[in-house]
Amino acid sequence: MSAERRAAGSGARPARPSHRAPGPPRQRRGCAPGVRAAPGLVARSPRARRPCARAPGAAARERSGCGTRSGVARAGAGAAASRRCRMAAEPPSSLSYRTTGSTCLHPLSELLGIPLDQVNFVACQLFALFAAFWFRIYLSPGKTSPDVRHAFATIFGIYFVIFCFGWYSVHLFVLVLMCYGIMVTASVSSIHRYSFFVAMGYLTICHISRIYIFHYGILTTDFSGPLMIVTQKITTLAFQVHDGLGRRAEDLSAEQHRLAVKVKPSFLQYLSYLLNFMSVIAGPCNNFKDYIAFIEGRHTHMKLLEVNWKQRGFQSLPEPSPTGAVIRKLYMTLVSLLLFLTLTKTFPVTCLVDDWFVHKANFLTRLCYLYIVMQASKPKYYFAWTLDWKSLKLCWSEP
């Protein structure tokens, strides 16, 4: 039986003869002319697959990545790199929006061209100045109890921290609660050691994680400043409690004897000392006995005893006025701000990583420019510290 009959009997259709002229095999869609798709891959429509560049040879096909799985992987990596480049090329105004704190001042940040976390910081410092006026006038020791003053100082401080740092402020609260647990439970002979190691250890872990894990933060907000201030206060108070309860008076120096704390602070006093709005953002680190005397209205009497005015026939200090000191501090903050804005634009810190500066400038030039850049960055800290001292001065000069 012939092949045609066997095919007919089995139901298979006979193959039709091809009338096309002999030539190269048909190309699959998705590649440019002259480039065949790799066997085993399903051809995609032109819309789902970009046409590849002309690559007439096998090596060229491998480089172009057309029709191969490695080419698809390369295309994905290229797209990811493109997205990273676009993120790196974002304008500062869009990057300034990336903060863990409040975003209600974002329009002001875009208007001034200043990162949002810095705008939040300055806004809190200025608000603390006005809160100090209100605290001094309406919550003076003669009108309210110490507990009320402690509570309002703590509430304002917590609000400022959350406004500036958002969920990053959890680090601050966790450290405060852990160290208060040590203050309550640890023995007096070891309270200063435990507090020091826990506070410094937590601060070190936060610094290491920001540098080596998050590369100075996924977000721009830097919470290490308040964390360092709180660490100073925690260790200072722990050593002063140890001096007052765990050591003999004859073993203390005159300064240690004056600052020694004879009674462990309550939870409200501890929170108020560490988180009060006058020093929680940028300091200063004051002593616990001085702070309690200020809250209770005894700081003028302590100053009276310190300068021995009673021996000179005086029974009270003249009424202190903070106006002159505040005006001087305001002038210093304004000068510091103008110097910082001017010098940082004239001597940008980004020049330190410029290729020409790193590889071609001589050592003396690099050293001198580094010194100038570091000096230009100092007014920023003078601005913050002076502004915090100003609010503290307003509160501590009671009417």
Side-chain angles (χ1 to χ4, degrees):
M1 184 182 291
S2 64
E4 290 83 355
R5 291 180 182 178
R6 284 197 302 269
S10 62
R13 296 179 62 183
R16 294 181 181 180
S18 177
H19 299 287
R20 294 183 180 177
R26 295 182 63 185
Q27 301 165 357
R28 297 190 182 185
R29 290 189 295 176
C31 291
V35 181
R36 290 181 297 176
L41 292 181
V42 179
R44 299 180 181 178
S45 63
R47 293 183 179 179
R49 188 174 180 180
R50 293 183 179 180
C52 301
R54 289 183 180 271
R61 283 200 302 271
E62 186 178 355
R63 286 194 302 267
S64 65
C66 178
T68 60
R69 289 185 174 87
S70 60
V72 175
R74 276 197 219 84
S82 177
R83 286 194 298 270
R84 288 194 297 268
C85 290
R86 286 196 300 270
M87 291 177 62
E90 285 180 347
S93 59
S94 62
L95 289 177
S96 65
Y97 188 79
R98 302 172 61 194
T99 178
T100 54
S102 174
T103 57
C104 64
L105 298 179
H106 180 244
L108 181 62
S109 172
E110 287 190 332
L111 179 64
L112 299 177
I114 301 175
L116 182 56
D117 58 330
Q118 297 182 16
V119 173
N120 288 343
F121 175 83
V122 175
C124 282
Q125 292 290 80
L126 294 177
F127 189 78
L129 181 63
F130 292 106
F133 274 106
W134 180 83
F135 195 82
R136 177 176 178 267
I137 295 173
Y138 296 102
L139 292 182
S140 61
K143 298 178 181 179
T144 55
S145 65
D147 290 341
V148 174
R149 286 167 62 85
H150 278 304
F152 273 91
T154 306
I155 291 172
F156 284 164
I158 291 175
Y159 175 77
F160 289 166
V161 170
I162 295 176
F163 183 88
C164 279
F165 308 105
W167 64 267
Y168 271 161
S169 57
V170 172
H171 293 289
L172 213 65
F173 305 145
V174 167
L175 178 60
V176 170
L177 294 178
M178 285 195 305
C179 290
Y180 183 73
I182 294 174
M183 178 70 65
V184 173
T185 59
S187 61
V188 176
S189 59
S190 303
I191 192 172
H192 59 302
R193 298 190 185 95
Y194 294 154
S195 297
F196 175 80
F197 284 119
V198 170
M200 287 298 297
Y202 194 88
L203 177 63
T204 304
I205 291 172
C206 288
H207 277 305
I208 292 175
S209 63
R210 290 188 66 243
I211 296 173
Y212 294 105
I213 299 177
F214 298 112
H215 301 288
Y216 283 103
I218 301 174
L219 304 172
T220 59
T221 308
D222 181 12
F223 66 96
S224 60
L227 199 62
M228 288 187 285
I229 296 297
V230 168
T231 300
Q232 293 180 46
K233 289 185 176 182
I234 287 172
T235 54
T236 299
L237 177 57
F239 274 87
Q240 290 172 355
V241 170
H242 172 69
D243 291 340
L245 298 177
R247 299 178 63 185
R248 296 179 301 177
E250 53 269 20
D251 296 335
L252 303 177
S253 64
E255 184 72 9
Q256 289 175 330
H257 184 74
R258 185 181 73 84
L259 299 176
V261 178
K262 304 291 185 180
V263 180
K264 288 186 178 181
S266 66
F267 183 63
L268 182 59
Q269 290 176 336
Y270 195 81
L271 291 181
S272 178
Y273 172 64
L274 296 179
L275 301 176
N276 67 85
F277 72 95
M278 294 163 283
S279 59
V280 67
I281 300 295
C285 176
N286 51 342
N287 296 302
F288 180 76
K289 287 187 70 173
D290 294 337
Y291 180 75
I292 295 299
F294 152 69
I295 290 292
E296 296 176 356
R298 295 184 288 105
H299 59 292
T300 53
H301 181 68
M302 290 177 62
K303 187 67 177 178
L304 179 70
L305 296 177
E306 181 181 342
V307 298
N308 298 320
W309 275 32
K310 284 188 176 181
Q311 297 179 6
R312 304 176 188 178
F314 295 96
Q315 296 299 321
S316 62
L317 285 171
E319 180 179 316
S321 176
T323 305
V326 170
I327 291 176
R328 288 193 298 271
K329 298 295 183 182
L330 280 173
Y331 175 75
M332 289 179 61
T333 55
L334 181 61
V335 172
S336 299
L337 181 61
L338 293 177
L339 284 175
F340 173 71
L341 295 177
T342 303
L343 294 176
T344 51
K345 289 183 179 180
T346 307
F347 304 100
V349 69
T350 53
C351 290
L352 296 175
V353 295
D354 185 72
D355 290 337
W356 179 90
F357 185 84
V358 172
H359 299 291
K360 296 184 179 180
N362 59 57
F363 175 76
L364 186 59
T365 302
R366 285 182 290 167
L367 183 63
C368 292
Y369 189 80
L370 178 62
Y371 178 79
I372 294 173
V373 167
M374 293 299 103
Q375 297 301 317
S377 64
K378 284 184 178 180
K380 174 176 64 174
Y381 300 99
Y382 297 155
F383 170 81
W385 294 335
T386 307
L387 203 57
D388 240 19
W389 270 107
K390 184 162 63 260
S391 61
L392 191 66
K393 186 73 176 178
L394 268 174
C395 288
W396 284 42
S397 299
E398 299 292 347

